[in-house]
Amino acid sequence: MSLVTLAHICSHLQNCSRAHLTLTSLPSTNLNLALMHALQNSGFLSTVTRAGPKPPPYLYTTSHPSSSSAASSLDALHPDTAQITRSNIASRRLWVGLKYWNSEPVIRTIRMESKPTRRVWVGRGELQEMVLGRQGGRSLSKGMSVLGECLFLSTDRGVLEAREAVEMGIGGQLLVRVS
C-alpha cells in the first residue's frame, strides 16, 4: 500500500471539492477503490465507477442506473466500461462523483492520519476511545470530535470506517480522516 499515492488522492479530492467539480478521476488501484467505496457508503461521494480514460456516458445523466442489468447493457455499448483485461489495465481510472449540499461541498477536509514516515496502527480498545472523542492512548491521533467526521482504517477485512471496526472488534492502520 502506497501512502504517498493516497496522500495525492486526498489532496486531489479536497481540491476538486473546493473547486466545485462534480466528477473527477483517480488511478484505479484496489486500495483506492476500497477507500472510495467506503467514502460512498458513508455519504461523502455520490458515485464510484471504474472505467477507461473517458468517463462513462451514464455519469452525465441525472438518473444513475441502479440495476446491474442496466450497467451490463452499457458495458456492451461502451467499451470504456468493459471488463478489465491485461491489455487495458493501464488505462483504467476510477470516476468519482462528488457531493454538494446547499452549494457547499460535503467533503470539507480530508487528511492523512498515517504518513509514509509515520504509520499509525491502533488496536480495538484504542480505536474505541477515538470513536468516543478521546485521544487514542499510544497514537498521536486525536479522537473524533467534529459532527459528521469519519475516520477510515485499513484492516484485514478491507477498508472500514472506525465505527464499523469498533462494532467488529478489530483494529488496523489509520488511513484518512474526513469531515
Side-chain angles (χ1 to χ4, degrees):
M1 154 180 27
S2 173
L3 292 180
V4 174
T5 305
L6 196 57
H8 292 302
I9 298 297
C10 290
S11 64
H12 180 74
L13 286 176
Q14 188 166 334
N15 290 339
C16 288
S17 67
R18 286 182 180 170
H20 290 279
L21 299 178
T22 57
L23 189 65
T24 187
S25 72
L26 305 170
S28 179
T29 65
N30 290 335
L31 177 64
N32 291 350
L33 181 64
L35 181 61
M36 293 307 119
H37 278 302
L39 285 168
Q40 184 181 21
N41 291 341
S42 295
F44 289 103
L45 301 176
S46 60
T47 59
V48 176
T49 304
R50 187 180 279 183
K54 296 178 185 171
Y58 58 84
L59 287 181
Y60 289 122
T61 62
T62 56
S63 62
H64 184 68
S66 58
S67 68
S68 60
S69 63
S72 64
S73 65
L74 283 171
D75 288 348
L77 295 174
H78 302 281
D80 281 345
T81 60
Q83 196 69 2
I84 296 174
T85 63
R86 286 182 181 233
S87 62
N88 68 2
I89 195 157
S91 65
R92 296 283 98 182
R93 303 288 292 173
L94 290 177
W95 289 91
V96 176
L98 301 173
K99 266 187 173 179
Y100 298 92
W101 180 258
N102 293 335
S103 298
E104 292 295 318
V106 174
I107 297 178
R108 291 183 302 266
T109 60
I110 179 168
R111 66 182 182 88
M112 295 288 296
E113 285 294 312
S114 288
K115 306 217 176 352
T117 58
R118 181 182 61 93
R119 294 175 185 246
V120 180
W121 295 86
V122 291
R124 66 177 182 199
E126 200 173 355
L127 188 60
Q128 187 169 10
E129 293 295 318
M130 292 176 71
V131 167
L132 293 174
R134 303 181 198 121
Q135 183 166 346
R138 295 180 292 120
S139 75
L140 301 173
S141 297
K142 63 178 187 161
M144 296 168 54
S145 58
V146 179
L147 185 65
E149 184 176 44
C150 289
L151 189 61
F152 295 94
L153 63 150
S154 177
T155 67
D156 57 347
R157 298 184 189 166
V159 175
L160 298 174
E161 204 271 326
R163 292 174 192 91
E164 295 173 357
V166 167
E167 286 177 8
M168 293 178 164
I170 56 176
Q173 182 182 3
L174 295 180
L175 293 177
V176 296
R177 181 184 299 260
V178 184
S179 63

